[in-house]
Amino acid sequence: MALEFVTCPVCKQRLGLISYIGAGTDVVCANCETNLRVEQRNPLKVRQIAIEETYNANDRPESYG
């Protein structure tokens, strides 16, 4: 497993991503806790995403209250 580096677009911190993380995967910056999405693998590119874009069907199960 190779480690690849990309720069956070918000805080400019270098982030290490393992090579098996594919395009479309959501990650979080360890420094500023910004939500990022891997846009492209070669060359490695990430972009900041809003918290609403991270929600999926499993994030908000129906309420039983």
Side-chain angles (χ1 to χ4, degrees):
M1 287 185 267
L3 189 63
E4 300 175 53
F5 293 96
V6 67
T7 303
C8 174
V10 177
C11 68
K12 308 304 182 209
Q13 178 76 26
R14 275 185 51 181
L15 307 172
L17 298 177
I18 297 175
S19 60
Y20 68 77
I21 295 177
T25 304
D26 295 341
V27 295
V28 175
C29 176
N31 187 45
C32 66
E33 298 182 0
T34 300
N35 294 301
L36 305 169
R37 180 165 290 150
V38 178
E39 288 289 308
Q40 184 177 334
R41 287 298 306 166
N42 195 3
L44 188 57
K45 288 185 182 178
V46 295
R47 72 172 172 94
Q48 181 180 6
I49 58 172
I51 190 71
E52 291 80 20
E53 291 184 51
T54 65
Y55 296 149
N56 62 36
N58 296 325
D59 289 332
R60 295 187 176 187
E62 60 184 310
S63 175
Y64 293 102

